[in-house]
Amino acid sequence: SARSLHLVLLTFDHVASAAMLPPLEYVSEQPSCQDAAAALGTAISTSRSKSIFSGTAGRTPTSRKIVAEEYLQQALDMLSFGDDRNLCRAVPLEVVTRKCGSVWSDSKGSEATYALSKVVTKIDSFISHNWIVGRYEKMAAVAFRFNFGMAALCTILANVTVTILTMVGWIPVVEVEDDVAGSWNGLVGGPVFFFVLFFGRNIASFFKFPSPRVFVDKICIHQVSHTLQTKGIMKLGAYLGCSEEMLIVYTNIYLQKLWTIYEVAAFVILRPNAAQCMTVVPVLLVKVFLAAFAFAYIGTASGQVMEAAQLDYNWVIIVAFICALTYMFGLRTWHRDKILMQERILNFKVRECICTVESDRAVVYANIAALVKAFGLTPATADLDEALDAFDDLVRRELPAAFSWAFGWCAFEYYHYVWVGYIMAGVLTF
């Protein structure tokens, strides 16, 4: 029908645009990391005048004034790589998704894992996550962000191919009481979608398709050399400045961890419109979506098989009911998580954050103090407690709006709902 065709075309447009990310070699007209470093360097050399941190990497310039002149050099060390350009590293996405995300198994790195990353001038996505979250959960979240469009597009192409082969007689149709029941699209869509979602990038890399370059701390920061590891940790602000996007793999623990709250707060400081450059992928919603999709596939596929065998398949309605219950339960749980998230932000205290390696707490506190002083959020003469209090105020003031924008008014993106409607309407089956 015309409505179904409209849904198909709309879905195709969304997933095609989502599947095509800019290659690493893309050169933005906006200031880059080197421009930011140059701006800070000029500010240091002309210390009599107030200076402006005139830009960050990618397409989002910032106009925040650095009013504490004595912290300019420290800010330069934190927010740019300077002579340590070899520290700016990223890893192709297909390496992260290889072997169902085996890199997410633990936080222990080696010379071999560091060798997987390469020196770059720009990072497509900074992946902010917690190691306490399971390997497969993070793999699903990353795949959902980067591979959803590719998976949906390949599913549509697979179904179109099956339809054409059925029309030309290469694939038999199912006939029930002299009526044509349909082709076998219902058996093709689900497996293709899940296969491409989790392994599509690896197949695309085999054919030399460009892949996004992402930052993963375990791979891009040296985990063996203590000197290089310390330098990499101190340059987290520089990594964020060189990133086009910040991808947050969100769970309830995210806002309770010291390192991740520092990362997201630093990103907000560096970019006035940070929310537009943040992509938040709640692990819970990924589970809900994939479970609903799996139930929908089981229902349509089993219904078609039962119909072909001329058996009663009214029980498929039960499967649809379970699918709806799963979706509603997931959204209800997510709504409660959002309320809990807002409460945690409004009552945020950095001193109460969890730090797995307690010795890292002093490092993060020092970075926070330097950052808030350099950007004029607290007087340059303020002590550590005052700087941390200023950071608490920043989180309570800026993060609610940033996360609300990133989450949007609904649980999923519009094209996710279109895709669910595309499946539930039976387009993949008949």
Side-chain angles (χ1 to χ4, degrees), residues 287-351:
K287 293 179 180 179
V288 170
F289 186 93
L290 295 181
F293 184 93
F295 279 122
Y297 169 72
I298 293 172
T300 54
S302 59
Q304 190 166 6
V305 172
M306 298 291 284
E307 186 177 25
Q310 300 185 21
L311 299 175
D312 182 15
Y313 60 94
N314 291 330
W315 64 272
V316 174
I317 299 176
I318 300 177
V319 177
F321 182 70
I322 295 175
C323 176
L325 281 180
T326 302
Y327 186 73
M328 289 187 293
F329 175 78
L331 292 188
R332 182 174 178 81
T333 305
W334 169 237
H335 180 69
R336 292 173 177 172
D337 287 350
K338 288 181 69 174
I339 295 176
L340 179 61
M341 175 197 69
Q342 294 170 357
E343 292 177 352
R344 283 175 175 165
I345 293 178
L346 293 178
N347 299 305
F348 174 79
K349 294 181 180 179
V350 68
R351 298 171 182 85

Side-chain angles (χ1 to χ4, degrees), residues 26 40 43 66 117 134 178 197 199 217 350 381 427 430:
Y26 175 83
L40 277 176
I66 298 182
S117 62
D178 299 327
L197 182 68
F199 304 104
D217 48 4
V350 68
T381 56
V427 180
F430 299 106

Side-chain angles (χ1 to χ4, degrees), residues 173-230:
V173 295
V174 181
E175 295 186 4
V176 180
E177 297 180 355
D178 299 327
D179 292 328
V180 176
S183 65
W184 295 99
N185 280 339
L187 300 179
V188 175
V192 171
F193 179 80
F194 278 104
F195 181 80
V196 178
L197 182 68
F198 291 104
F199 304 104
R201 287 290 172 182
N202 301 95
I203 298 174
S205 66
F206 179 79
F207 293 100
K208 306 302 181 181
F209 283 97
S211 177
R213 264 51 174 177
V214 299
F215 174 89
V216 178
D217 48 4
K218 171 183 175 179
I219 300 177
C220 300
I221 295 179
H222 208 292
Q223 302 297 314
V224 178
S225 171
H226 180 71
T227 301
L228 291 178
Q229 184 183 42
T230 302

Side-chain angles (χ1 to χ4, degrees), residues 409-420:
W409 64 272
C410 56
F412 297 103
E413 296 289 344
Y414 176 64
Y415 61 87
H416 294 144
Y417 287 105
V418 172
W419 183 246
V420 172

Side-chain angles (χ1 to χ4, degrees), residues 71-225:
Y71 285 94
L72 284 174
Q73 182 62 54
Q74 193 170 358
L76 175 62
D77 293 338
M78 292 173 56
L79 303 178
S80 68
F81 291 100
D83 296 332
D84 297 321
R85 292 301 306 169
N86 289 337
L87 291 178
C88 184
R89 304 175 72 91
V91 58
L93 182 62
E94 66 267 14
V95 175
V96 178
T97 59
R98 187 179 298 164
K99 298 180 181 179
C100 285
S102 60
V103 69
W104 303 108
S105 298
D106 56 63
S107 60
K108 297 179 181 178
S110 62
E111 292 285 357
T113 56
Y114 187 69
L116 296 174
S117 62
K118 304 296 180 183
V119 177
V120 297
T121 58
K122 190 190 308 183
I123 301 170
D124 291 317
S125 183
F126 182 103
I127 301 180
S128 180
H129 67 100
N130 301 114
W131 283 107
I132 196 173
V133 180
R135 158 190 176 180
Y136 295 107
E137 293 174 312
K138 281 185 279 195
M139 170 62 189
V142 172
F144 194 80
R145 162 63 183 92
F146 289 104
N147 296 351
F148 183 91
M150 180 190 301
L153 184 60
C154 290
T155 303
I156 294 174
L157 294 177
N159 280 272
V160 170
T161 302
V162 171
T163 300
I164 294 175
L165 294 178
T166 302
M167 292 174 62
V168 299
W170 289 10
I171 296 179
V173 295
V174 181
E175 295 186 4
V176 180
E177 297 180 355
D178 299 327
D179 292 328
V180 176
S183 65
W184 295 99
N185 280 339
L187 300 179
V188 175
V192 171
F193 179 80
F194 278 104
F195 181 80
V196 178
L197 182 68
F198 291 104
F199 304 104
R201 287 290 172 182
N202 301 95
I203 298 174
S205 66
F206 179 79
F207 293 100
K208 306 302 181 181
F209 283 97
S211 177
R213 264 51 174 177
V214 299
F215 174 89
V216 178
D217 48 4
K218 171 183 175 179
I219 300 177
C220 300
I221 295 179
H222 208 292
Q223 302 297 314
V224 178
S225 171

Side-chain angles (χ1 to χ4, degrees), residues 246-289:
M246 184 177 191
L247 173 61
I248 296 176
V249 180
Y250 183 82
T251 60
N252 283 335
I253 196 67
Y254 185 86
L255 294 175
Q256 301 179 55
K257 286 288 191 175
L258 183 60
W259 275 113
T260 47
I261 197 67
Y262 167 67
E263 291 170 359
V264 69
F267 193 73
V268 170
I269 292 177
L270 291 172
R271 301 195 177 190
N273 58 344
Q276 301 177 28
C277 304
M278 284 170 48
T279 300
V280 183
V281 180
V283 171
L284 173 64
L285 290 187
V286 175
K287 293 179 180 179
V288 170
F289 186 93

